Amino acid sequence: MTAAQTIALSGRIERITYHNRDNHFTIARLRTDENHHLITIKGTMPEPKVGESIEVRGRWEAHARYGQQLCFSTFKPILPATVDGIRNYLASGLIKGVGPKLVERIIGHFKADTLTVIESAPERLCEVAGIGKKTAARIADAWQAHHAARQLMRFLEENGVDVAHTARLLREYGNDAVDILCNDPYRVAEDIPRIGFMIADAIVRNADTPVDEADRAKACMLHLFDRAVDQGHAYIDREMLFDTCLKTFDVAPETAAAALSDLVAGDDLVVATEMAHGGPPPVFLRLLDQAEAMIARRITAMQSIPRTEAPPDSRLITDEVLKTLAITLSDRQEEILTRILAHRVSVITGGPGTGKTTLIRSITAVMERLGHRVMLAAPTGRAARRLSEVTGRPAATLHKTLGYNLADGCFERTEDDPLTADVVIVDEASMIDTLLMAHLIRAVPMTASLILVGDVFQLPSVGPGTVLADLIRSEQIVTFELTDIFRQAEQSPIVVNAHRIRRGKPPVVAPPDDAEHLSDFYFIEQAAPEKAVQTVVDLCRQEIPEHFRMDPIRDIQILTPMHRGLVGTLNLNRVLQLALNPDSDQVAVMGNRFHVGDKVMHLRNNYRKEVFNGDIGILRSIDPEKTRVEVDYDGRIVPYDFVEMDELTLAYAISVHKSQGSEYPAVVIPLLTQHYIMLQRNLLYTALTRGKQLVVIVGTTKALRVALGNDRPRQRRSMLARRLNPQL
């Protein structure tokens, strides 16, 4: 038998090794019927019970540590037919509240028909002594709840839909999921963004009933907008929208046009014909159209309000900066500092080593000296902490600054309750997307100053739009670009090479074997993925700690373009965990194995815990009895129950996108042609600029050339620049 063959096995569940109630991922031990061998199975299985008989279909997988495992894609319960089998089945705790004595009474009355009665005629349970209507209803409800997930899985499988969507559908619809999928499938496309349309469409196409083409076309269109937003676009050209509907989903142009009209009438979409400029008009989700319009309108209004105070003279500025910060400004910095105070909205941009942080500190000092209230913010928790460290003043995330309310998903600070600040400075502004910028600009007082600071050549925001680049491109916002590298930064190959990569030029590299003269930038040629992985391990475990005296877990960060593949985050995390932290106390949760001492990353904003997406810490303790772990985030201990650990992942290796707004003592970047789809200049530039003391690229010159030549990702569809400057 080969590992690629799909096989079917039946048997009895002996032990539940792990079960995640959120997504139903299960690892269990199965005693096979054929030869009574005990095997490990893993896959999606709602509410598994010890003692259940099941049939699974899947493929063998060889795990480096745990041996052969059967990864099943489908399963089905095998209900017992004999009285003894039924007794064992019910006694396994399958139905809460049905103890051994009650099981005996039910079986004694209905014998081999017991399960048929519970499923099809539960009211008959009242025939059993001691069972009233309430108990019978409770048993019936428990049976239905236990089997609803399995019925849904079977329904999805029959319709060619991935059963991994079971958990999400059950969370949304509960026991009514199959009913809704059968009778109102395109409701799922509205309720569950991104995956909902594909689920609904597969079910509709598989059904015998006629398809409502109008409903399908509208659902298809909204799905395409979800996909476009995921790719960073704010709109889709109308002709492109119709063309994609036809080519991808076989929706005729006239049907698509009617669907678009309905969605516009229903306030879902907006056709911005006034911005067509002779071409096909852009079509927006209404929320994004309103956001772009809000940004342009508020910025234009702010800039129309004249300054009433005279700008301070340059001597006051230089004296204050020198006295407060002990810094002597360059001529360019002094010029910018003098001019920036005359504008309501301004942008400071530039690469590493060009003095952006010095300007933030200087502006803050001068503004406070003039009696202005200064507020510092950044898009992420990591960037806000870094901003606070370099300025010595409080800084917060934009969500916290704007009073994000977790309960209703709204921001409390608006034009009706604006920020109490005269100057708002936002660092790492390249990470701000269109929607967040709209919320920010609403909350900035009209008479205040907004200063956006960021490196426009870094990766764009995760959300839609390229706000910082659009503001600059509009030529309506005063922009100060810092290009001179300061003398101390000129000595750093990291800074020099970052600027070379930004211009599409190859980096200048030091010989990797020159131990006498250590550099802070190296390129190690390695074409084979297996050898690249081993090189990364050797660098983390031995070379960097020995030569640069760095902690292999705390100080070294692997940044890789992708999650999958040998040099993706998933495999590198497993390999590095075994290499750097193999023997600590362990816990298996959510299909992952965590060790005490692991580097872990928090995956989504948790305002209750005050831990945010991308925060990195060290797992300090595991308590199996209390089913919780503790993570140390820079000295602050945060507890997680086992059920909350889907918010954590290993972080020895993380994606470049997750590194935005952070800096690390040492960065190692695998860069191979296997990453082809992600080989982009701004991605490499962003990764490189995360390293403070050392950057090592492990890969091939070919992959490096591809990345340097690929500047395409900066082209996102947005109309913000044109809204600010209609002449564009």
Side-chain angles (χ1 to χ4, degrees):
M1 183 194 330
T2 67
Q5 289 177 319
T6 299
I7 64 167
L9 287 176
S10 62
R12 182 176 182 273
I13 297 176
E14 294 274 326
R15 180 160 60 91
I16 310 297
T17 306
Y18 169 75
H19 177 67
N20 179 354
R21 292 182 180 178
D22 289 331
N23 61 20
H24 304 311
F25 178 78
T26 301
I27 302 173
R29 298 284 277 171
L30 186 77
R31 180 78 66 182
T32 63
D33 291 335
E34 183 178 355
N35 51 27
H36 303 291
H37 286 172
L38 198 59
I39 65 168
T40 298
I41 61 172
K42 66 179 183 180
T44 302
M45 184 185 300
E47 302 298 328
K49 298 290 183 184
V50 171
E52 274 191 281
S53 292
I54 61 171
E55 179 184 283
V56 291
R57 297 181 66 85
R59 299 180 179 184
W60 289 109
E61 178 185 273
H63 191 283
R65 188 164 184 174
Y66 304 108
Q68 288 285 100
Q69 300 176 332
L70 185 71
C71 296
F72 63 88
S73 53
T74 63
F75 87 98
K76 63 180 180 181
I78 302 172
L79 296 180
T82 66
V83 169
D84 283 342
I86 293 170
R87 180 181 290 108
N88 293 333
Y89 185 61
L90 293 178
S92 68
L94 181 75
I95 302 176
K96 292 179 181 178
V98 179
K101 291 183 180 179
L102 189 54
V103 167
E104 288 300 332
R105 290 207 301 273
I106 294 172
I107 290 176
H109 187 81
F110 295 112
K111 308 241 175 343
D113 294 330
T114 297
L115 299 183
T116 303
V117 170
I118 292 174
E119 183 167 12
S120 305
E123 68 280 356
R124 288 193 58 199
L125 291 169
C126 295
E127 298 173 15
V128 178
I131 297 182
K133 289 184 178 180
K134 286 186 178 179
T135 303
R138 192 177 74 247
I139 293 171
D141 289 344
W143 177 273
Q144 184 180 7
H146 178 70
H147 285 277
R150 299 176 174 208
Q151 290 166 358
L152 175 58
M153 284 184 71
R154 189 162 56 247
F155 177 81
L156 295 178
E157 184 186 356
E158 289 169 354
N159 285 279
V161 178
D162 190 340
V163 296
H165 298 312
T166 302
R168 181 70 179 85
L169 289 164
L170 283 174
R171 280 200 300 274
E172 190 72 31
Y173 303 120
N175 295 345
D176 297 327
V178 173
D179 226 20
I180 290 168
L181 288 169
C182 287
N183 298 316
D184 191 10
Y186 286 113
R187 171 181 164 185
V188 182
E190 295 179 31
D191 295 342
I192 307 178
R194 294 161 187 83
I195 65 168
F197 174 77
M198 305 307 290
I199 293 171
D201 209 41
I203 289 168
V204 167
R205 285 176 170 275
N206 197 61
D208 294 331
T209 54
V211 176
D212 186 321
E213 291 295 344
D215 282 351
R216 180 174 183 268
K218 286 187 286 187
C220 162
M221 210 162 271
L222 292 175
H223 168 70
L224 290 177
F225 274 94
D226 285 338
R227 198 166 72 180
V229 168
D230 285 345
Q231 294 168 351
H233 300 301
Y235 70 87
I236 306 175
D237 285 334
R238 186 175 62 189
E239 304 314 315
M240 179 188 294
L241 180 63
F242 290 172
D243 189 53
T244 307
C245 283
L246 177 63
K247 290 181 178 177
T248 307
F249 300 108
D250 199 28
V251 175
E254 58 272 17
T255 307
L260 178 58
S261 296
D262 288 347
L263 290 169
V264 169
D267 271 355
D268 294 291
L269 300 179
V270 173
V271 181
T273 51
E274 73 280 5
M275 286 185 286
H277 278 208
V283 183
F284 287 83
L285 286 169
R286 179 165 291 279
L287 195 61
L288 282 169
D289 176 69
Q290 290 174 337
E292 281 196 357
M294 167 72 72
I295 296 167
R297 185 170 63 250
R298 293 278 297 187
I299 286 179
T300 302
M302 286 176 68
Q303 295 195 125
S304 70
I305 300 174
R307 287 271 184 195
T308 56
E309 58 188 327
D313 62 41
S314 59
R315 179 172 294 179
L316 182 149
I317 289 173
T318 54
D319 288 351
E320 184 61 31
V321 171
L322 184 60
K323 182 180 74 172
T324 307
L325 305 176
I327 292 173
T328 301
L329 297 175
S330 69
D331 292 343
R332 174 63 171 157
Q333 286 177 321
E334 186 178 320
E335 176 200 353
I336 291 172
L337 191 51
T338 304
R339 289 179 56 201
I340 204 167
L341 303 180
H343 299 278
R344 296 284 181 198
V345 183
S346 53
V347 169
I348 299 173
T349 187
T354 55
K356 295 190 300 297
T357 300
T358 298
L359 270 174
I360 292 175
R361 296 174 65 198
S362 302
I363 293 167
T364 303
V366 172
M367 287 294 191
E368 289 181 345
R369 167 71 174 79
L370 295 171
H372 296 311
R373 297 166 298 176
V374 180
M375 184 172 284
L376 301 176
T380 68
R382 292 163 294 155
R385 281 194 298 273
R386 183 165 153 263
L387 180 59
S388 182
E389 289 167 5
V390 298
T391 60
R393 289 169 170 79
T397 65
L398 282 172
H399 279 74
K400 189 169 185 178
T401 299
L402 298 173
Y404 181 71
N405 187 318
L406 187 62
D408 58 18
C410 295
F411 291 89
E412 293 172 355
R413 296 291 197 175
T414 65
E415 60 266 47
D416 298 325
D417 184 17
L419 299 171
T420 52
D422 303 305
V423 181
V424 179
I425 303 174
V426 183
D427 197 14
E428 296 287 354
S430 63
M431 300 173 67
I432 303 176
D433 64 36
T434 302
L435 294 174
L436 185 55
M437 184 63 189
H439 290 297
L440 171 63
I441 203 68
R442 284 184 69 192
V444 175
M446 295 294 286
T447 55
S449 294
L450 173 64
I451 301 172
L452 301 174
V453 184
D455 187 344
V456 76
F457 285 90
Q458 287 193 18
L459 286 172
S461 57
V462 174
T466 50
V467 172
L468 188 65
D470 286 346
L471 295 181
I472 295 170
R473 191 167 68 88
S474 75
E475 300 181 348
Q476 301 301 299
I477 314 298
V478 63
T479 299
F480 302 99
E481 184 175 4
L482 300 167
T483 55
D484 293 335
I485 304 174
F486 282 88
R487 187 173 294 110
Q488 63 271 26
E490 283 181 343
Q491 310 304 313
S492 167
I494 293 177
V495 172
V496 171
N497 283 324
H499 285 269
R500 288 180 64 84
I501 286 170
R502 172 177 167 171
R503 297 191 298 268
K505 295 182 177 181
V508 177
V509 300
D513 56 351
D514 186 0
E516 294 298 320
H517 302 90
L518 292 176
S519 175
D520 65 8
F521 185 92
Y522 292 95
F523 181 90
I524 300 175
E525 184 81 27
Q526 193 58 265
E530 299 85 354
K531 292 183 178 179
V533 170
Q534 189 56 53
T535 300
V536 170
V537 171
D538 291 342
L539 285 166
C540 295
R541 184 169 53 189
Q542 182 177 356
E543 300 296 330
I544 295 175
E546 284 185 7
H547 290 96
F548 294 88
R549 296 184 180 180
M550 292 186 182
D551 183 289
I553 294 179
R554 281 189 173 277
D555 295 337
I556 305 171
Q557 186 60 61
I558 314 302
L559 301 181
T560 182
M562 298 183 74
H563 292 294
R564 303 201 175 274
L566 285 177
V567 281
T569 59
L570 300 176
N571 183 61
L572 283 174
N573 272 316
R574 287 191 290 263
V575 172
L576 288 165
Q577 183 189 52
L578 290 174
L580 303 178
N581 189 33
D583 299 322
S584 302
D585 293 339
Q586 305 176 17
V587 62
V589 184
M590 310 295 181
N592 292 316
R593 189 166 294 274
F594 294 93
H595 300 183
V596 169
D598 275 341
K599 180 190 284 189
V600 295
M601 181 170 62
H602 191 86
L603 291 173
R604 52 180 173 266
N605 292 342
N606 188 320
Y607 294 91
R608 179 175 55 84
K609 293 182 183 291
E610 293 188 353
V611 186
F612 302 97
N613 184 5
D615 283 354
I616 289 179
I618 303 294
L619 198 151
R620 285 296 179 215
S621 68
I622 297 172
D623 190 333
E625 292 186 7
K626 294 182 179 178
T627 64
R628 79 174 195 176
V629 304
E630 290 182 330
V631 177
D632 181 350
Y633 293 101
D634 297 322
R636 192 169 73 89
I637 304 300
V638 177
Y640 292 80
D641 292 331
F642 282 4
V643 295
E644 298 177 302
M645 288 184 68
D646 61 342
E647 296 186 14
L648 292 176
T649 189
L650 293 175
Y652 298 96
I654 65 175
S655 69
V656 180
H657 286 82
K658 285 288 188 183
S659 74
Q660 285 181 272
S662 294
E663 286 186 341
Y664 313 97
V667 164
V668 179
I669 308 167
L671 197 73
L672 284 87
T673 51
Q674 282 76 10
H675 295 144
Y676 191 87
I677 194 171
M678 295 296 288
L679 293 178
Q680 303 163 3
R681 189 191 304 175
N682 60 350
L683 186 140
L684 176 59
Y685 174 78
T686 300
L688 189 69
T689 54
R690 300 308 91 201
K692 291 194 291 185
Q693 301 169 36
L694 176 67
V695 171
V696 184
I697 298 176
V698 179
T700 66
T701 51
K702 180 180 179 181
L704 181 60
R705 282 198 304 270
V706 171
L708 292 174
N710 182 7
D711 207 22
R712 175 178 42 81
R714 292 169 57 197
Q715 298 168 359
R716 289 182 171 191
R717 290 191 293 273
S718 164
M719 282 289 172
L720 178 57
R722 186 175 292 178
R723 291 182 198 262
L724 285 161
N725 183 357
Q727 302 306 312
L728 291 176

